[in-house]
C-alpha cells in the first residue's frame, strides 16, 4: 500500500542518496482518500513520525550531546571499546565528516522531517467529516506535524547550523539555508502551531502527542539558545514564554513532588511531563542505553537476563590516588557534583512493587541477595567494585607495569572493566516484575526544564534572587524533608554553579553539549582528559561527506 511503500522507499533513498530528495516515486495507485478507512488509520499515520522521534531522542543524537561533553566517556577497557579511536575522537573533539554518529544524526534529522511531511501530505487531503471528525481536529493534527517538523529542525540547527528547508516531498538537491533562515522557519512553524494545537486537559493521557505547552516550550528553547544559533541573545523572549508556561497559560502542569516521578515506571502520570515518548516492554526503547552502560554481569545486580556491553560511564570525579579533581578543572566530575544527602546519590536498588531508590551503580557490585558479582576481564573471578576513577589499577604491583598508584595515568585509553560510575536514570525491575521493563516513557520536555530556563534567563537579565529561588524550587524534592544542604543564593550563583545545576537535574538526558555551548564553555573549558581547543567551529558538527556526495549543492561548515 502507498503508506508502506512511501516509508520504505523514502528510508532507502535517505540512506543511499544523502538526502538529495525527500520522496521517491510511489509504485501504487492507492491514494490517501481510499487508503484511510477509520479514525484508527488516521491516528496511525499521525503518530508514525513520532515513532521516529522516539528513536531520534536516543542513540547517536544522545551520544553527540553527552560523549562530546564533560559528564560521560567511553574509555578503552583493555581489549574493549577502542573502536578504531572513535570514542577518543569525540572526547577530544577530533571528529571528522566521516564519523558515523554525525552522519546518522544528519540523516535521522531529515528523515524525521520527511516522515512528518509525508503524513501531513496525506492527512491534508482527507475529508475528516467522513470519519465523524471535525475540521478543527484536522487542523490540530496538521499543526502537530508542523510542530514535529520544527522539533527536528531545531535539533538540526543545534547540531549543524543551517539545513535545507523542505516544505514538500518533491523538492530535491536543495542547498543549505542559512542559520538565520532556518531559525525563522522554526519560529514560523511553532508560532503557527501554538494557536491551533489544544492545551492538555485534566485526565488527558500522555501518548506522545504534542500539546500547546510543548510548542511553547520549543519556542522558549529556540530563543533560549538564540545567541549560539544566530548570534542574537533572546533571553527576554524565552523568559516571557517560560513564565507563561509556569503560570499555566498553556496548560496545567506542576513539578513532580518526587525526584523519580518523572523517570519511574508510571511517569506518564507525572504532572511535570510536558511532552514524552511512550515506551513499553516489547518495544525496547531503552535497550541501547542498557547495552552501552552496563557490565556484562550487571544482569545479576538487576536480577535480569540481559547482559550489557560495558562501554559508557560517568567521567571520573577522582584521580587514581582518590583525590578530587576540584583544582584541576571546573566542569565534569558529575557524581561529586551531587550533594551528600541527595536522594539520587545512592546505589540503585529495586525493592519490588515498582519501588526503587537511587540512580547510580557505584561501589561493590552485589546481587540483590548480597553475593559478590565477579569480573571477567581484569578482575576475572574477583569481586567487582565500580569506582569513580579511570586508571589501570590491575597493573599496579610487584612485577607489574606500575609500581605504585602514584604512577598511574588517567585518560581515555586507561579504563578497566569496573571503570566509572554507571547511571540508572531509567529504573530496571527484576525478572519477577519484567512486564515493567522499559515501562518508563522517554521525557522530551518536562516542567523542571522550564524552571531552569526561566532561572537562567533571570540570572542573565540581572535578578539573581529570583533565579536562585527557581532553582531551589526544583532542588528541594531531592532531599529528605525537602531540607537542601546547599541551596542557591544570590552570592553563590555564577556560570559554573548554573552549569552544575543543569548537570545534576538533567544528567544523562541528552542535552549537555547544548548547555556548554550556550555558556561558551564547549570549546574553551577543560574537563577530565580534555583540553580546550578554543576552536569555535567545533560548536557545530560537519555536514557528513556522505550527504555532500549525494547532493553537491550542500556546503561544508567552516573549519572542516
Amino acid at each position: 500500500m502507498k503508506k508502506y511503500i512511501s516509508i520504505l522507499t523514502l528510508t532507502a533513498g535517505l540512506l543511499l542518496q544523502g538526502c538529495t530528495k525527500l520522496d521517491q516515486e510511489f509504485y501504487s495507485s492507492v491514494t490517501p482518500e481510499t487508503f484511510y478507512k477509520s479514525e484508527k488509520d488516521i491516528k496511525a499515520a499521525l503518530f508514525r513520525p513520532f515513532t521516529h522521534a522516539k528513536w531520534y531522542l536516543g542513540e547517536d543524537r544522545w551520544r553527540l550531546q553527552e560523549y562530546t561533553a564533560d559528564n560521560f566517556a567511553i574509555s578503552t577497557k583493555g581489549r574493549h571499546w577502542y573502536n578504531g579511536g572513535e570514542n577518543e575522537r569525540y572526547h577530544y573533539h577530533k571528529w571528522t565528516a566521516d564519523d558515523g554518529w554525525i552522519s546518522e544524526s544528519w540523516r535521522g534529522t531529515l528523515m524525521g522531517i520527511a516522515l512528518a511531511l509525508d503524513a501531513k501530505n496525506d492527512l491534508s487531503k482527507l475529508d475528516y467529516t467522513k470519519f465523524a471528525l471535525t475540521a478543527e481536529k484536522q487542523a490540530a493534527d496538521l499543526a502537530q506535524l508542523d510542530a514535529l517538523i520544527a522539533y527536528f529542525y531545531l535539533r538540526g540547527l543545534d547540531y549543524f547550523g543551517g539545513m535545507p528547508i523542505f516544505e514538500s516531498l518533491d523538492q530535491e538537491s536543495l542547498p543549505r539555508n542559512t542559520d538565520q533562515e532556518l531559525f525563522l522557519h522554526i519560529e514560523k512553524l511553532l508560532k503557527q502551531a501554538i494557536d491551533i494545537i489544544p492545551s492538555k486537559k485534566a485526565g488527558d493521557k500522555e501518548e506522545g502527542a504534542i500539546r500547546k505547552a510543548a510548542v511553547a516550550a520549543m519556542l522558549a528553547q529556540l530563543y533560549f539558545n538564540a545567541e549560539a544559533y544566530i548570534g542574537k541573545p533572546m533571553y527576554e523572549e524565552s523568559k516571557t514564554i517560560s513564565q507563561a508556561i509556569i503560570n499555566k497559560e498553556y496548560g496545567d502542569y506542576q513539578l513532580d513532588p518526587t525526584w523519580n516521578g518523572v523517570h519511574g515506571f508510571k511517569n506518564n502520570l507525572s504532572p511535570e511531563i510536558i511532552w514524552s515518548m511512550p515506551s513499553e516492554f516489547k518495544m525496547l526503547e531503552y535497550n541501547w542505553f542498557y547495552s552501552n552502560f552496563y557490565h556484562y554481569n550487571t544482569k545479576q545486580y538487576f536480577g535480569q537476563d540481559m547482559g550489557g556491553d560495558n562501554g559508557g560511564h560517568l567521567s571520573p570525579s577522582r584521580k587514581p590516588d582518590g583525590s578530587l579533581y576540584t583544582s584541576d578543572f571546573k566542569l565534569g566530575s558529575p557524581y561529586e557534583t551531587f550533594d551528600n544527602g541527595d536522594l539520587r546519590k545512592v546505589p540503585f536498588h529495586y525493592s519490588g512493587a515498582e519501588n526503587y531508590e537511587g540512580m547510580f551503580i557505584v561501589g561493590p557490585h552485589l546481587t540483590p541477595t548480597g553475593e559478590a558479582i565477579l569480573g571477567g576481564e581484569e578482575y576475572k573471578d574477583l569481586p567487582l567494585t565500580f569506582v569513580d576513577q579511570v586508571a589501570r589499577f590491575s597493573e599496579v604491583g610487584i612485577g607489574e607495569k606500575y609500581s605504585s598508584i602514584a604512577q598511574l595515568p588517567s585518560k581515555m585509553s586507561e579504563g578497566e572493566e569496573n571503570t566509572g560510575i554507571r547511571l540508572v536514570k531509567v529504573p530496571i525491575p527484576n525478572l519477577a516484575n519484567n512486564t515493567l521493563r522499559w515501562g518508563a516513557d522517554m521525557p522530551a520536555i518536562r516542567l523542571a526544564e522550564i524552571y531552569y530556563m526561566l532561572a537562567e534567563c533571570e540570572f542573565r537579565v540581572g535578578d539573581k534572587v529570583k533565579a536562585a529561588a527557581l532553582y531551589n524550587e526544583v532542588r528541594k524534592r531531592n532531599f529528605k524533608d525537602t531540607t537542601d544542604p546547599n541551596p542557591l543564593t544570590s552570592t553563590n550563583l555564577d556560570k559554573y554553579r548554573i552549569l552544575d545545576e543543569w548537570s545534576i537535574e538533567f544528567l544523562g538526558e541528552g542535552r549537555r553539549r547544548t548547555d556548554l555551548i550556550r555558556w561558551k564553555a564547549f570549546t574553551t573549558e577543560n574537563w577530565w582528559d580534555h583540553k580546550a581547543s578554543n576552536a569555535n567551529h567545533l560548536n557545530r558538527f560537519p555536514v557528513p561527506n556522505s550527504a555532500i556526495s549525494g547532493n553537491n549543492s550542500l556546503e561544508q561548515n567552516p573549519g572542516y
Side-chain angles (χ1 to χ4, degrees):
M1 294 182 182
K2 173 183 181 291
K3 180 59 59 178
Y4 297 107
I5 293 172
S6 163
I7 291 170
L8 290 173
T9 312
L10 180 148
T11 303
L14 289 170
L15 280 166
L16 299 175
Q17 298 188 30
C19 302
T20 296
K21 185 174 180 179
L22 283 186
D23 79 324
Q24 304 297 319
E25 185 176 357
F26 298 138
Y27 297 95
S28 172
S29 61
V30 178
T31 65
E33 294 87 343
T34 60
F35 176 78
Y36 293 92
K37 303 297 184 184
S38 67
E39 182 181 356
K40 183 179 179 181
D41 293 333
I42 292 175
K43 198 168 186 178
L46 175 65
F47 282 103
R48 170 63 186 91
F50 283 84
T51 300
H52 179 79
K54 181 164 54 176
W55 164 81
Y56 186 87
L57 273 173
E59 307 212 26
D60 289 340
R61 273 64 52 204
W62 189 96
R63 295 179 182 112
L64 287 181
Q65 284 286 71
E66 299 291 2
Y67 288 132
T68 63
D70 59 326
N71 280 342
F72 292 91
I74 304 176
S75 61
T76 300
K77 300 169 184 65
R79 61 196 178 105
H80 298 290
W81 285 103
Y82 178 64
N83 283 18
E86 175 185 54
N87 300 315
E88 293 185 7
R89 286 198 300 277
Y90 287 112
H91 188 82
Y92 297 140
H93 292 188
K94 301 291 185 182
W95 51 75
T96 74
D98 292 312
D99 274 313
W101 299 352
I102 294 170
S103 59
E104 277 298 291
S105 294
W106 175 275
R107 185 188 70 84
T109 301
L110 288 178
M111 184 174 178
I113 293 160
L115 290 169
L117 284 171
D118 188 33
K120 184 180 176 184
N121 180 61
D122 280 3
L123 298 185
S124 65
K125 295 175 181 177
L126 297 180
D127 180 354
Y128 266 46
T129 62
K130 292 182 178 179
F131 305 93
L133 299 172
T134 65
E136 290 75 18
K137 168 64 174 169
Q138 183 175 29
D141 286 353
L142 297 177
Q144 273 205 68
L145 292 167
D146 277 342
L148 187 60
I149 292 167
Y151 164 75
F152 284 118
Y153 268 132
L154 179 57
R155 302 312 311 143
L157 177 64
D158 190 271
Y159 290 129
F160 301 105
M163 299 187 77
I165 295 176
F166 290 91
E167 298 195 71
S168 70
L169 290 172
D170 58 359
Q171 295 172 291
E172 58 182 304
S173 298
L174 294 182
R176 297 175 66 189
N177 289 80
T178 66
D179 300 353
Q180 177 74 25
E181 288 168 343
L182 184 55
F183 184 97
L184 293 174
H185 183 63
I186 296 165
E187 183 183 46
K188 180 189 73 172
L189 289 171
L190 293 173
K191 283 186 172 181
Q192 289 173 176
I194 202 168
D195 292 330
I196 302 171
I197 293 177
S199 300
K200 182 178 181 178
K201 300 182 181 65
D204 282 351
K205 294 181 179 179
E206 291 296 335
E207 55 180 8
I210 293 176
R211 296 191 172 96
K212 193 180 292 288
V215 182
M218 283 188 263
L219 194 57
Q221 291 170 340
L222 179 69
Y223 295 148
F224 190 51
N225 292 289
E227 187 173 10
Y229 296 157
I230 58 172
K232 177 185 176 182
M234 298 183 72
Y235 295 108
E236 285 286 2
E237 291 85 345
S238 183
K239 172 185 167 182
T240 298
I241 298 172
S242 297
Q243 185 67 68
I245 295 171
I246 291 172
N247 291 347
K248 305 181 186 298
E249 293 178 25
Y250 296 104
D252 191 352
Y253 301 88
Q254 56 187 315
L255 293 173
D256 201 293
T258 64
W259 72 265
N260 56 3
V262 290
H263 305 294
F265 300 108
K266 292 184 177 179
N267 63 344
N268 61 305
L269 303 177
S270 173
E272 184 172 320
I273 298 293
I274 293 176
W275 182 32
S276 65
M277 302 296 177
S279 181
E280 57 184 285
F281 174 51
K282 293 182 180 179
M283 298 300 291
L284 298 178
E285 283 84 357
Y286 288 106
N287 62 338
W288 65 273
F289 191 95
Y290 185 103
S291 174
N292 283 181
F293 261 71
Y294 304 136
H295 188 276
Y296 325 109
N297 295 335
T298 293
K299 60 184 177 181
Q300 300 172 44
Y301 179 82
F302 290 131
Q304 267 291 349
D305 59 358
M306 304 175 296
D309 296 332
N310 201 31
H313 53 80
L314 269 63
S315 297
S317 304
R318 297 181 181 273
K319 303 175 186 179
D321 66 8
S323 61
L324 293 169
Y325 281 112
T326 308
S327 61
D328 296 78
F329 39 76
K330 295 181 178 180
L331 296 179
S333 300
Y335 183 71
E336 288 300 333
T337 303
F338 284 79
D339 291 293
N340 292 333
D342 192 313
L343 297 172
R344 297 165 292 186
K345 196 182 179 181
V346 296
F348 172 83
H349 174 69
Y350 179 71
S351 54
E354 303 179 9
N355 297 310
Y356 70 98
E357 63 180 358
M359 65 179 200
F360 296 104
I361 296 176
V362 56
H365 212 35
L366 306 174
T367 69
T369 53
E371 291 86 8
I373 298 172
L374 307 182
E377 297 290 330
E378 292 87 358
Y379 299 97
K380 182 174 175 60
D381 299 328
L382 297 173
L384 282 172
T385 297
F386 284 93
V387 296
D388 195 10
Q389 298 157 292
V390 177
R392 298 286 294 176
F393 294 100
S394 61
E395 296 180 350
V396 175
I398 298 173
E400 298 288 347
K401 185 175 181 179
Y402 305 102
S403 60
S404 70
I405 287 176
Q407 295 180 327
L408 286 175
S410 182
K411 55 185 180 180
M412 285 286 288
S413 61
E414 302 299 307
E416 296 181 321
E417 65 178 308
N418 66 337
T419 286
I421 293 173
R422 313 303 169 92
L423 178 67
V424 191
K425 199 73 177 263
V426 181
I428 307 295
N430 55 30
L431 278 174
N433 295 149
N434 211 30
T435 54
L436 296 173
R437 198 164 83 190
W438 321 129
D441 290 348
M442 301 174 70
I445 303 172
R446 52 192 182 93
L447 190 62
E449 179 185 1
I450 310 303
Y451 270 77
Y452 276 37
M453 285 200 297
L454 180 58
E456 186 175 316
C457 290
E458 294 289 2
F459 173 85
R460 288 178 181 271
V461 301
D463 194 337
K464 290 186 177 183
V465 173
K466 186 171 183 180
L470 288 161
Y471 287 120
N472 291 334
E473 187 65 22
V474 179
R475 278 181 58 93
K476 66 183 182 181
R477 69 183 176 191
N478 302 309
F479 302 93
K480 185 178 180 181
D481 300 324
T482 67
T483 303
D484 186 345
N486 184 25
L488 283 85
T489 67
S490 60
T491 56
N492 67 15
L493 190 56
D494 62 11
K495 165 184 175 178
Y496 296 104
R497 180 66 191 264
I498 290 173
L499 281 170
D500 281 351
E501 292 306 317
W502 280 110
S503 171
I504 291 167
E505 180 61 29
F506 295 93
L507 183 66
E509 295 189 41
R511 61 170 300 126
R512 186 59 172 171
R513 168 188 157 275
T514 300
D515 291 332
L516 294 180
I517 290 173
R518 188 176 61 259
W519 280 99
K520 298 180 173 64
F522 187 62
T523 61
T524 62
E525 296 277 351
N526 300 330
W527 51 83
W528 173 77
D529 196 29
H530 176 92
K531 296 296 183 183
S533 67
N534 293 303
N536 286 337
H537 75 277
L538 295 173
N539 286 328
R540 299 279 169 79
F541 292 112
V543 179
N545 284 333
S546 59
I548 294 174
S549 66
N551 177 6
N552 58 17
S553 296
L554 297 176
E555 292 186 5
Q556 185 56 270
N557 275 329
Y560 292 105

